[in-house]
Amino acid sequence: MGVAAAKRDRTHYLYLAVIAAVGLGILVGFAAPGVAVELKPIGTGFVNLIKMMISPIIFCTIVLGVGSVRKAAKVGAVGGLALGYFLVMSTVALAIGLLVGNLLEPGQGLHLTEAVRAAGEKQAAGASESTTDFLLGIIPTTIVSAFTEGEVLQTLLIALLAGFALQAMGSAGEPVLRGIGHIQRLVFRILAMIMWAAPVGAFGAMAAVVGETGVDALKSLAIIMIGFYLTCAIFVFVVLGTILRLVAGVNLIALLKYLGREFLLILSTSSSESALPRLIAKMEHLGVSRPVVGITVPTGYSFNLDGTAIYLTMSSLFIANAMGDPLSAGEQISLLLFMIVASKGAAGVTGAGLATLAGGLQSHRPGLVDGVGLIVGIDRFMSEARAMTNFAGNAVATVLVGTWTKEIDKERVDKVLSGALPWNEQMLNQDADVHGVPEPRGGDEQHAVAKA
């Protein structure tokens, strides 16, 4: 017990160090902007280390989840429910963004400069050109390239194919599943080692963004920033909180508190992908079965981007107003429908939302693309709220899909959220089962197997 307590204390100090590093990064950004900007590669390097682990974690999680289910129909039911929910909630988030954007009317009085125009053109140049390109991009060149190129959707496709193949193999596929289980433990052990670099990464990322942006550049854009943060808060606490309570009987505040360290990690790196592996582990510890977590979480990171949806609509209205070309009601509805599709191509990485915004405007209203440069300066600050909203949305979605498919242990959920069965950071290091919820059997039988 004493050794375990010491280990828990050590990881507690790690996250205190992250908080201190964020504060120090802000101070350095204000005190020495020139030096702070040069620290940007440190933050980028840490996020890249995390991204390096995303593909193998998604692959192992989905293959183990799908491969361990005896009936393919169950996987289809989970995936169908998840995608249906993602589509509805993305539409709701887009609609809320339009509503608040029309009430605030952000962007009035701003002027487009040549520098801003150039920034907008640069973002548009890197954006995806069409929905067809996005769909074809899901198919990797080779099975291996899905991992080497770091494309989440490509990895998702390969993992699903491998999972169904192992499922069809029956008992002959069990040795392969056990092998992938060992690889998963190795991957999570590496991730735990990388997390010790979090304070350094947080310091570099925060110092760079404060040094680049400063205070003056934020004043004229404060309305869109504050409005965006408030809109995200309303969506999470009112919309998601109400649905979670009515459907699953779970308190949203308790769930967010349980995921507190993940939100801190997202805040310091501005990337929801940095917390994806930990969300998978924590959702299974919470009591949601492995197949539900393995399918819902990785899919949600590509298709359930509620924060990005709010960002796309509010930013579009902001740009249209700033350029003196406001969108009519019909154009807003048309843009909303277009963004439902466009938002599915954004990953949870810093800057992806900006590129998706540019691509959406380029395809729908080319005359507004130049205005994307107006929000380049504050995109880093908005991306934090965007990433945290995306993350909260995927956590809630996992609990809801688990409830609808009856693949969640309600008693365990209550124990975990009340603190009776707390999360231990060493679970990511253990040689035993990483998550403690190995099979989707449900209820007491599931956890009896886990204990065995």
Side-chain angles (χ1 to χ4, degrees):
M1 288 294 289
V3 176
K7 288 182 178 179
R8 279 198 296 272
D9 286 341
R10 228 170 46 178
T11 57
H12 178 66
Y13 292 139
L14 169 63
Y15 288 92
L16 289 178
V18 170
I19 296 173
V22 168
L24 183 60
I26 293 173
L27 289 175
V28 172
F30 282 129
V35 175
V37 171
E38 297 299 321
L39 298 173
K40 186 174 184 178
I42 299 176
T44 303
F46 174 72
V47 173
N48 287 346
L49 281 172
I50 298 289
K51 286 168 62 180
M52 174 182 74
M53 308 304 297
I54 297 299
S55 288
I57 286 172
I58 287 178
F59 178 79
C60 293
T61 302
I62 291 181
V63 170
L64 290 172
V66 174
S68 64
V69 180
R70 294 293 170 253
K71 293 182 180 179
K74 182 177 286 188
V75 177
V78 172
L81 273 172
L83 289 174
Y85 171 79
F86 296 159
L87 180 63
V88 171
M89 292 314 295
S90 294
T91 305
V92 171
L94 286 163
I96 290 175
L98 277 183
L99 177 64
V100 176
N102 278 289
L103 290 174
L104 291 178
E105 294 187 344
Q108 298 287 356
L110 287 179
H111 301 287
L112 189 67
T113 64
E114 285 303 315
V116 165
R117 189 185 302 276
E121 290 174 354
K122 181 179 178 182
Q123 289 297 326
S128 58
E129 293 183 359
S130 68
T131 303
T132 303
D133 292 335
F134 164 66
L135 294 174
L136 289 176
I138 296 175
I139 305 173
T141 306
T142 66
I143 289 180
V144 178
S145 68
F147 300 95
T148 57
E149 294 175 7
E151 294 289 341
V152 173
L153 286 177
Q154 292 183 2
T155 306
L156 189 64
L157 175 64
I158 295 299
L160 285 171
L161 291 175
F164 282 121
L166 287 169
Q167 187 183 82
M169 290 170 65
S171 59
E174 290 180 3
V176 180
L177 282 173
R178 285 197 297 271
I180 292 175
H182 290 303
I183 294 173
Q184 185 190 47
R185 285 191 281 273
L186 171 64
V187 169
F188 272 94
R189 176 65 67 91
I190 295 172
L191 176 69
M193 294 164 62
I194 290 173
M195 288 308 301
W196 286 99
V200 179
F203 168 72
M206 195 57 66
V209 72
V210 174
E212 285 177 346
T213 310
V215 178
D216 293 336
L218 301 180
K219 289 180 180 176
S220 63
L221 299 164
I223 293 178
I224 180 76
M225 281 181 61
I226 294 171
F228 178 63
Y229 270 75
L230 287 176
T231 306
C232 287
I234 291 170
F235 179 81
V236 171
F237 292 102
V238 177
V239 178
L240 293 182
T242 301
I243 295 174
L244 187 65
R245 170 62 74 180
L246 293 177
V247 174
V250 175
N251 183 280
L252 177 70
I253 303 298
L255 180 63
L256 298 184
K257 183 180 178 182
Y258 171 62
L259 298 170
R261 289 186 172 180
E262 286 66 46
F263 281 108
L264 174 61
L265 184 62
I266 293 169
L267 182 65
S268 60
T269 62
S270 191
S271 169
S272 58
E273 279 201 354
S274 62
L276 184 150
R278 294 175 59 85
L279 179 61
I280 290 173
K282 280 199 161 183
M283 286 293 101
E284 289 195 19
H285 174 71
L286 184 66
V288 184
S289 72
R290 172 170 285 170
V292 170
V293 174
I295 294 169
T296 306
V297 174
T299 307
Y301 262 69
S302 292
F303 291 97
N304 188 38
L305 304 174
D306 300 326
T308 302
I310 295 171
Y311 167 86
L312 289 174
T313 47
M314 289 190 69
S315 297
S316 298
L317 291 177
F318 170 79
I319 291 168
N321 289 336
M323 296 185 71
D325 187 15
L327 297 171
S328 65
E331 288 174 327
Q332 288 183 29
I333 297 299
S334 176
L335 182 65
L336 183 148
L337 295 174
F338 182 87
M339 287 301 188
I340 289 174
V341 177
S343 65
K344 303 307 174 207
V349 189
T350 304
L354 196 62
T356 305
L357 173 65
L361 291 177
Q362 186 179 48
S363 300
H364 191 74
R365 282 285 300 271
L368 297 179
V369 173
D370 291 341
V372 173
L374 285 166
I375 59 171
V376 168
I378 61 164
D379 180 72
R380 171 60 169 76
F381 289 96
M382 294 176 74
S383 70
E384 291 170 348
R386 193 166 66 219
M388 288 192 287
T389 304
N390 290 342
F391 182 80
N394 284 316
V396 170
T398 305
V399 175
L400 293 177
V401 173
T403 302
W404 286 323
T405 56
K406 296 180 173 59
E407 295 288 341
I408 186 171
D409 186 335
K410 294 291 184 65
E411 291 183 10
R412 185 179 177 92
V413 171
D414 292 338
K415 288 180 181 178
V416 171
L417 295 184
S418 66
L421 192 62
W423 167 262
N424 183 347
E425 291 294 325
Q426 296 309 308
M427 290 176 185
L428 290 176
N429 274 337
Q430 288 174 355
D431 290 332
D433 191 295
V434 176
H435 311 309
V437 188
E439 296 278 347
R441 296 182 170 84
D444 296 333
E445 183 185 352
Q446 180 183 29
H447 296 293
V449 173
K451 290 177 182 177

